[in-house]
């Protein structure tokens, strides 16, 4: 294993430990602050086609964001991960009820079955804004994911498929913000990182 890969693995463990120490109340408080920052941002307000990750317990919760997308009549797309490769596509989510009915993957994340035919964002006009998950970030947009490379590959495809690339935003607990994150040429930076300030 390379030095960079070892550094990333060590940091992933460290960050997961730090997030595990947060109480449900602390997670909710930080999620609420970050959600409000996102919903009031110019980029969100002017975007129509938005891709959102379905949050896990150790991530800023995206439920309110998804609800707001439907309330404001925007188009919502969510990830569908391929189980045997690093391929991921963004497919249309039709309503909150649609989300409720989705099956769960082995990672306990809701997503449409591969046999479920849905609108694919990159084939029908692209995306204006992509919410990008991750484990560690710097304030200026460097990002370390969970090691599967799904988003790095997808964002590279976005840039190739669209005339203008989507604006990318990461949502983070303050425990995920670091002065330095180990990255290489395959790691795609995000345009903005939103997090709750220290109390």
């Amino acid at each position: 294993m390379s030095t960079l890969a070892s550094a990333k693995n060590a940091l992933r463990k460290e960050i997961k430990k730090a997030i595990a120490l947060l109480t449900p109340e602390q997670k909710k408080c930080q999620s609420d602050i970050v959600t409000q920052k996102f919903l009031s941002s110019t980029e969100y307000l002017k975007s129509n086609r938005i891709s959102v990750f379905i949050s896990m317990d150790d991530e800023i919760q995206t439920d309110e964001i998804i609800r707001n997308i439907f309330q404001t009549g925007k188009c919502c797309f969510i990830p569908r991960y391929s189980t045997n490769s690093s391929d991921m596509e963004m497919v249309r989510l039709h309503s909150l009820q649609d989300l409720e009915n989705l099956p769960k993957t082995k990672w306990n994340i809701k997503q449409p079955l591969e046999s479920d035919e849905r609108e694919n964002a990159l084939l029908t006009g692209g995306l204006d804004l992509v919410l990008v998950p991750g484990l560690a970030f710097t304030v200026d947009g460097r990002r370390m994911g969970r090691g599967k490379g799904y988003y790095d590959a997808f964002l590279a495809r976005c840039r190739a498929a669209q005339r203008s690339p989507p604006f990318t935003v990461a949502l983070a607990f303050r425990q995920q913000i670091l002065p330095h994150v180990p990255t290489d040429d395959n790691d795609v930076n995000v345009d903005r990182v939103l997090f709750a300030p220290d109390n």
Side-chain angles (χ1 to χ4, degrees):
M1 189 185 286
S2 72
T3 310
L4 179 68
S6 300
K8 285 184 173 184
N9 283 343
L11 186 56
R12 284 189 184 104
K13 285 178 185 162
E14 204 177 297
I15 295 292
K16 284 178 181 176
K17 274 185 196 165
I19 295 173
L21 292 173
L22 292 171
T23 65
E25 293 74 25
Q26 287 171 322
K27 286 181 191 170
K28 183 179 186 317
C29 180
Q30 290 200 46
S31 285
D32 289 348
I33 292 167
V34 173
T35 296
Q36 285 316 308
K37 278 188 176 186
F38 175 73
L39 294 179
S40 60
S41 68
T42 309
E43 288 77 21
Y44 173 67
L45 294 172
K46 70 182 186 188
S47 292
N48 182 46
R49 294 167 64 86
I50 300 162
S51 137
V52 189
F53 61 91
I54 310 291
S55 51
M56 296 191 286
D57 185 53
D58 62 352
E59 294 174 318
I60 292 288
Q61 297 303 291
T62 55
D63 321 38
E64 280 305 315
I65 290 170
I66 294 171
R67 187 172 286 111
N68 192 274
I69 288 173
F70 288 118
Q71 284 172 347
T72 52
K74 299 174 187 283
C75 298
C76 187
F77 293 86
I78 57 171
R80 178 158 62 187
Y81 303 89
S82 174
T83 43
N84 45 15
S85 73
S86 62
D87 280 350
M88 176 180 74
E89 55 187 3
M90 292 297 170
V91 294
R92 184 78 177 263
L93 184 70
H94 300 292
S95 63
L96 292 173
Q97 189 60 52
D98 184 18
L99 175 61
E100 195 61 37
N101 296 336
L102 290 178
K104 287 187 175 178
T105 65
K106 63 180 179 185
W107 299 301
N108 211 27
I109 304 170
K110 291 190 166 202
Q111 76 169 28
L113 296 170
E114 292 193 34
S115 57
D116 182 355
E117 286 193 21
R118 289 180 179 249
E119 179 186 340
N120 181 327
L122 291 192
L123 302 179
T124 58
L127 291 160
D128 303 321
L129 193 155
V130 177
L131 275 178
V132 184
L135 272 178
F137 308 92
T138 61
V139 173
D140 63 354
R142 287 184 178 273
R143 166 188 173 270
M144 184 185 72
R146 292 176 185 266
K148 304 275 188 208
Y150 284 113
Y151 272 85
D152 294 316
F154 177 75
L155 291 172
R157 279 171 46 223
C158 272
R159 287 169 183 175
Q162 298 186 202
R163 268 180 306 195
S164 55
F167 192 82
T168 52
V169 179
L171 309 177
F173 294 114
R174 73 176 71 92
Q175 288 74 8
Q176 294 174 279
I177 304 296
L178 302 173
H180 174 74
V181 170
T183 56
D184 61 28
D185 294 343
N186 296 319
D187 295 312
V188 179
N189 288 4
V190 293
D191 295 312
R192 179 167 301 158
V193 181
L194 297 179
F195 59 97
D198 288 326
N199 292 335

